[in-house]
Amino acid sequence: MAYFDAASAAPLHPVARQALSASLDEGWADPARLYREGRRARMLLDASREAAAEAVGCRADEVVFTSSGTRAVHRGVAGALAGRRRVGHHLIVSSVEHSSVLHSAEAFEADGGTVTRVAVDRAGAVDPAGYAAALRPDTALACLQSANHEVGTAQPVAEVAEVCRAAGVPLLVDAAQSLGWGPVEGDWSLLAASAHKWGGPSGVGLLVVRKGVRFAAQGPVDERESGRAPGFENIPAIVAAVASLRAVRAEAAQEAVRLRGLTERIRARVPELVPDVEVVGDAVRRLPGIVTFSCLYVDGEALLHELDRAGFSVSSGSSCTSSTLTPSHVLKAMGVLSEGNVRVSLPPGTAEADVERFLEVLPGAVAGVREKLGAPAPVTRGGREELLVDSLGKRCPIPVIELAKVFGRVPVGGTVRVLSDDEAARLDIPAWCEMRGQEYVGEEPAERGTAYLVRRVS
């Protein structure tokens, strides 16, 4: 079985396993106690904090260990906003942030705050000018991920940090996906990360708050972790997390070159092997191990099952794999195709042979799913220059499949009107037009659902 979902959770690094086992006998006691066992535990905790600070590029007393990366984000956002509440109640985030940041933003809005969501381009990157335009006198905090978790696009953190610093606004960076590859550049103010993203054990997060940043911890506090992350520290897991971070960093430069070569191979060959595919994310400014593509006329869940049966573990941002039947907020913000979406995220050590086998298996898996969805479209003739496709009650990718099947029946200049009540159609039909070089006219309200108009231009 080839595990290609490291962006969700990387396999436990051998160094993490060794450190966890070794520290179970030494790090079980309360590090706040002065007796021998407590002192041993404190030494392990302090050494881990020093090593984490070195990896991040900050002071040891700026590092706090939390129970997860999500908790680090929640504590960081809430504490920074509360610390600057006299400045104002305005928060800036990008539209492609991890759900932990977006959920924090929603909670802030529900409590009376205002949030500006900065748009991204079709590659998933923000423009620093977008953050500059969003800044206001009452802006308390800005947030930006270092690299996107779904498409791998690296964000211009240093440039955005400079813009925010000039305005006196702290920037919180979600570095969960990138910290294993190297420190985050720029004059950022707060940082959050998660150990299971770089091969450490789950249940360990990092929160860094630079000296001079106004911060007021929210909720009940105690004497542990500077009052910013209450609760008994899981010292063996913390030791393993930091040990694995140091280990992957030592291997990062060489492994990044190797994995980047493998993902570039996937990016280049998938469109050659599979027709009607859109490879998404920035082709250059990206993480080494992530490549994402979307296949027209494919049910994402069915494709993932086919690949799983073939021995490959991958993930998807397709609405077809979601219980909410809505496409990934990242793909939606980028304006790219969401149906049949596949994210391949290679863990360090991935064998070249596994990537080659994936490229051999993928065309057949996609073709098989497409064949199963190949029923003729129910079509009603409209006027001479227009066809009506009734896809009400059908989920992705059926509306787009039915559009494609009848599109050739209208002359150049003619239109196809697609009726759909699937939220994914609002994204996938314009994305189909972009891929096929046709004109997306827009949408109109219908008696049921929405009518999406497409004009044939070639």
Side-chain angles (χ1 to χ4, degrees):
M1 190 75 181
Y3 181 76
F4 285 178
D5 195 21
S8 293
L12 192 66
H13 195 283
V15 168
R17 189 182 303 276
Q18 294 167 5
L20 182 63
S21 177
S23 58
L24 285 172
D25 291 332
E26 298 291 332
W28 54 268
D30 188 344
R33 301 298 178 228
L34 300 179
Y35 42 70
R36 181 184 307 166
E37 295 85 356
R39 294 197 304 272
R40 287 175 181 168
R42 170 57 64 180
M43 289 176 62
L44 288 174
L45 183 59
D46 288 347
S48 297
R49 201 182 309 278
E50 290 280 355
E54 181 181 0
V56 171
C58 65
R59 295 169 39 149
D61 58 357
E62 295 173 335
V63 175
V64 168
F65 294 110
T66 67
S67 59
S68 69
T70 294
R71 182 60 60 88
V73 167
H74 291 172
R75 303 288 295 190
V77 171
L81 288 170
R84 286 173 49 83
R85 57 182 173 268
R86 291 186 180 180
V87 173
H89 296 82
H90 178 232
L91 170 67
I92 302 173
V93 301
S94 84
S95 58
V96 294
E97 294 298 310
H98 187 269
S99 59
S100 59
V101 173
L102 298 182
H103 291 161
S104 292
E106 291 167 2
F108 181 59
E109 280 183 310
D111 200 34
T114 58
V115 178
T116 297
R117 294 167 176 83
V118 179
V120 297
D121 61 20
R122 196 171 175 83
V126 302
D127 185 339
Y131 271 75
L135 288 166
R136 305 184 334 199
D138 63 338
T139 301
L141 177 68
C143 299
L144 179 64
Q145 58 190 192
S146 54
N148 187 260
H149 50 292
E150 290 195 28
V151 300
T153 297
Q155 300 291 0
V157 173
E159 294 91 332
V160 172
E162 183 178 353
V163 167
C164 292
R165 179 69 64 178
V169 173
L171 176 68
L172 183 150
V173 178
D174 173 12
Q177 290 296 337
S178 73
L179 194 61
W181 297 108
V184 177
E185 298 180 355
D187 198 8
W188 46 266
S189 302
L190 303 97
L191 179 143
S194 187
H196 75 278
K197 300 292 189 179
W198 64 67
S202 58
V204 179
L206 285 181
L207 172 61
V208 178
V209 182
R210 296 281 201 188
K211 291 296 180 183
V213 175
R214 292 188 176 275
F215 191 94
Q218 299 300 287
V221 299
D222 59 26
E223 72 281 1
R224 300 181 189 277
E225 296 302 305
S226 306
R228 292 172 179 170
F232 199 99
E233 298 96 341
N234 185 347
I235 294 176
I238 289 171
V239 171
V242 176
S244 60
L245 178 58
R246 296 183 69 178
V248 298
R249 281 288 190 83
E251 306 159 354
Q254 182 175 354
E255 190 64 10
V257 173
R258 197 180 71 84
L259 289 186
R260 194 175 295 279
L262 293 178
T263 54
E264 287 177 354
R265 187 181 308 179
I266 296 172
R267 287 181 65 88
R269 290 187 58 189
V270 165
E272 296 173 354
L273 297 169
V274 181
D276 296 316
V277 164
E278 181 177 18
V279 181
V280 301
D282 196 290
V284 178
R285 289 177 55 97
R286 59 184 303 100
L287 291 173
I290 297 179
V291 56
T292 305
F293 55 89
S294 298
C295 307
L296 272 173
Y297 323 133
V298 168
D299 179 314
E301 184 173 4
L303 180 56
L304 262 59
H305 285 319
E306 288 295 323
L307 292 172
D308 181 51
R309 281 191 284 270
F312 295 95
S313 301
V314 299
S315 63
S316 173
S318 171
S319 60
C320 307
T321 64
S322 167
S323 60
T324 62
L325 295 178
T326 57
S328 151
H329 71 277
V330 172
L331 301 178
K332 187 174 183 179
M334 293 168 62
V336 299
L337 183 70
S338 73
E339 66 185 52
N341 178 259
V342 175
R343 180 186 68 182
V344 174
S345 50
L346 307 178
T350 296
E352 182 178 357
D354 285 339
V355 171
E356 284 300 318
R357 190 166 65 86
F358 174 78
L359 291 170
E360 292 174 3
V361 165
L362 180 66
V366 173
V369 174
R370 285 175 172 167
E371 184 177 0
K372 293 175 183 177
L373 296 172
V379 179
T380 304
R381 290 291 296 186
R384 181 182 177 187
E385 300 292 322
E386 180 177 292
L387 284 176
L388 175 66
V389 174
D390 185 351
S391 289
L392 292 169
K394 300 175 182 178
R395 301 300 177 192
C396 79
I398 299 301
V400 181
I401 290 177
E402 295 183 342
L403 164 64
K405 281 183 172 292
V406 305
F407 197 71
R409 301 184 194 177
V410 297
V412 172
T415 60
V416 176
R417 185 183 301 268
V418 183
L419 295 179
S420 176
D421 50 6
D422 179 17
E423 178 64 25
R426 181 166 281 110
L427 174 63
D428 289 345
I429 290 176
W432 181 90
C433 294
E434 179 77 20
M435 293 176 66
R436 309 298 292 213
Q438 305 300 333
E439 180 185 357
Y440 177 64
V441 179
E443 62 179 70
E444 296 177 352
E447 185 175 345
R448 288 181 56 206
T450 303
Y452 299 94
L453 276 68
V454 178
R455 179 177 290 114
R456 183 176 178 184
V457 297
S458 61

